[in-house]
Amino acid sequence: MKILLILALGILLSSPAQADPRDDIIAGFKAQGAGDANLANGQKMYSTTYGSGKPDTPKCTTCHGATPQQGGQTRTGKAIDPMAVSRTENRFTDKKMVDKWFRRNCKGVIGRECTAQEKVDFLTFLASQ
Amino acid sequence: MADDENTAQTSPTATTTTHVITVWDLPIRLFHLALVAVVLVAYLSAYVLPENALGLHLWSGYVTVALLVFRLTWGWLGSHYSRLQSFAYSPAHILKHLQELATLRPVTHYIGHNPSGALMVFALLMVLSIITVSGLMVLGGEENQGPLAGIISYAVAEHAATVHNVIVLLLLAMVVLHIAGVLLETKLTGQRLVRAMFNGRKTVPLSTPSLPLRPARPVTAAAVLTVFITIAGSVLWALSTMPASGLITLPANTAYEGECGDCHSAFHPSLMPIASWAKVMGGLDDHFGEDASLDAETVTDITSYLTQYGGEKWDTEASNRFAILNPAKPLRITATPYWLRKHSAIAPAQFKLKSVGGKTNCGGCHRDQQSGRFDDQNIQIPKE
């Protein structure tokens, strides 16, 4: 049993470094038809006031920090870590979480699901911050 | 009985030569002072101090019980005038004394308790016993604490709470009457009763017929108390080890704590009736003005967890109180009449404190919210 464990550990350690999960997620959106990222569009999306979704949440920065480097707050007062990857290392590394929040927040703020292109722009912009 | 010892009475007119005797022994005087202090603490901690002073209130209750046990023991083995027997007057005798008092003319002085005072002593002992027992029942059924937590249900505790709340008012009235009575007797007998309460001494005529006065038996009293405390203590301890009724252990559920703790802290499932939870779970895409939607599988998982552990499955103060919803906002804990009443005195700024964040972060002030107890002793509004 012990030997097996050590063996397994050895194999794990010697295998090549895992691909960045963010790249996998972005690749997934590209497979849904998105092209290359447009950072300016991503930045605009972060701070635009849409007003086409739910009245209490007109823009992403209703909850997320005023800048990607700042922390935010849910409407119930719970802190949200900064969205910039340089500040919060594990941002956009869990596909389920990314999908869940894009679905919720895009519907809540814009009033529709985001397109794959918008998602790529948004993620790439924040990964560059 | 006391009626046979009426010879102990002295009349103020019969003074020729007098002498000073000790009527109230030291233990009975200390008992009296301690009882006054502890009843005062009990009232203050209930009516004046904030809710989280429950600990102090409980201590005053426990000390009262100890004092009552002592008083009964001393009423049997104390010195003559402390013995219950020495002031157990017949109803007719008490009535006669009260009629005498009503005339407001000088009355016979009794060396020990006079008949109306004796009546008050017995009534006080009775009322204090009812208060402490009903208090323990409330503690067990509503707060799920103390020796009766395992036996008393919330519904029973509610009745006990009514008794407790009414009888403490009666006690207050009795205290006033008691003091008024002492002042009246002081005036009508010419005896310095209040001073006697402190130093135990009274001046009585030499002609007072001597009585077969019984001395205290402190050693026997101590032995009786020890035996009693051992037995009662063991029973209470055994009862305390029983699990609190209506307080089930909640298994962890990562889906619930994770998904429903994303925007606000996950609420304890006991805080809303099952039907309310089901409605919340059925409308997540428009959740209090936000989209909180989840995949179908997670929704099913969380819904069954909340159905299994929702309000009806508990018998705590919180589960019972929050079962009464606000018809206009049936999905909100913070809109229930009880929640609003309990938090009305808290300034909005205190909910905005950094470590609290908002009214939905119950754990910011209730350090035991994870157990669903919401004990008074565990309430603490953070400093910042």
Side-chain angles (χ1 to χ4, degrees), chain B residues 40-57 60 376:
Chain B
L40 193 67
V41 170
Y43 277 114
L44 286 179
S45 56
Y47 291 144
V48 182
L49 299 180
E51 196 116 333
N52 58 8
L54 179 64
L56 190 62
H57 190 70
S60 63
D376 298 34

